[in-house]
Amino acid sequence: MNYISRIEGIKNKGIKTLILSGNQIKEIENLSSMPLLENLELEKNKIETVEAVATFELKKLKKFVVSFNMIPIEDFDNIVKLLGNFPTLEEVNFMGNEVTLFKKYKPRLMEFEQLRILDKLALKDPIKTHYTVSDIILILSNRN
Amino acid sequence: MYLNASIVKEASQGNKDPRNITLDFSLKQLLSLKNLNQFITPNNVQKLLVSTNYLREIEPIISSFTLLKELDLSINHIQKIENLTPLSNLIYLNLSNNRIQYVEGLSGLLRLEVLVSLSCIASKFRI
């Protein structure tokens, strides 16, 4: 059980990778102090929207993981906005969120040419996936 | 278990450059690193891996490893982040799976590029 509930006050400007998976974070906030951030992983938290992410100056962001959070279908437009704002973003993972059930989810996101990996699936070569055994177990348990 | 010459020798196996030493104490059931300076010169250690042990604190001895670039303290019983400020060369820090209540005291780590703080038990996140 983990209890980190907020991202705040990080003053280490050189941080390129921040992994806070498996906590209790509800909002993605205070990322302005990490302008060099390339890899942000927030899997298994309590995030309900990615709206704020697009407002941060993250010109080097390459990988954004928010799988197994609580992002609803209604947040799809914010995901589109996010990918539009970050042309460097090559890999995103929204697996295990309701938003992935939106019928236009995959075809719309595949329109972003910079995207190489969507939900661990390599878009340029769909045969190659990046699923682990634990991913498959989590997906199946969510369906049940 | 506490450190002894045999454990330190095993942890430093494979090092070819005496000025660039990796110490791998992962999975050694260690309770403490207190007497580490009896066996090794801290200034030559760049990578210190202490994952999966029984450390209850980040002991003051850690702060003497001033040239450390990588520190892995994941999967221990650490409750507080402390004694890291002198490690200004640190690039990678892993504090995942501990018992940390406050993430703090990292502002002196000027070169920190990778902060892996998975599964820290913390009611507040303050650095």
Side-chain angles (χ1 to χ4, degrees), chain B residues 71-90:
Chain B
L71 177 60
D72 186 352
L73 295 167
S74 62
I75 317 179
N76 277 281
H77 296 169
I78 294 164
Q79 296 184 20
K80 185 181 179 185
I81 300 174
E82 56 189 337
N83 296 316
L84 295 181
T85 304
L87 309 186
S88 57
N89 290 295
L90 206 61

Side-chain angles (χ1 to χ4, degrees), chain B residues 43-108:
Chain B
N43 280 342
N44 296 328
V45 180
Q46 295 199 9
K47 194 184 286 189
L48 183 58
L49 312 175
V50 205
S51 178
T52 320
N53 283 287
Y54 298 103
L55 301 186
R56 290 185 174 274
E57 59 179 322
I58 303 174
E59 295 159 325
I61 182 75
I62 295 285
S63 63
S64 61
F65 289 79
T66 52
L67 295 183
L68 212 56
K69 290 183 177 174
E70 184 173 332
L71 177 60
D72 186 352
L73 295 167
S74 62
I75 317 179
N76 277 281
H77 296 169
I78 294 164
Q79 296 184 20
K80 185 181 179 185
I81 300 174
E82 56 189 337
N83 296 316
L84 295 181
T85 304
L87 309 186
S88 57
N89 290 295
L90 206 61
I91 292 171
Y92 175 91
L93 174 64
N94 190 341
L95 294 166
S96 65
N97 293 289
N98 276 283
R99 296 176 179 178
I100 294 162
Q101 291 187 335
Y102 298 95
V103 181
E104 57 193 341
L106 300 179
S107 57

Side-chain angles (χ1 to χ4, degrees), chain A residues 3-4 6 8 12 16-17, chain B residues 106 113 115 117 122 125 127:
Chain A
Y3 298 99
I4 291 177
R6 296 193 67 184
E8 62 179 351
N12 305 77
K16 292 181 179 175
T17 295
Chain B
L106 300 179
E113 288 181 5
L115 172 62
S117 185
F125 183 52
I127 297 178

Side-chain angles (χ1 to χ4, degrees), chain B residues 9-27:
Chain B
K9 186 179 177 185
E10 191 180 336
S12 57
Q13 274 181 352
N15 287 298
K16 291 174 183 173
D17 184 353
R19 292 163 300 177
N20 180 6
I21 290 176
T22 294
L23 290 177
D24 187 354
F25 293 110
S26 303
L27 285 159

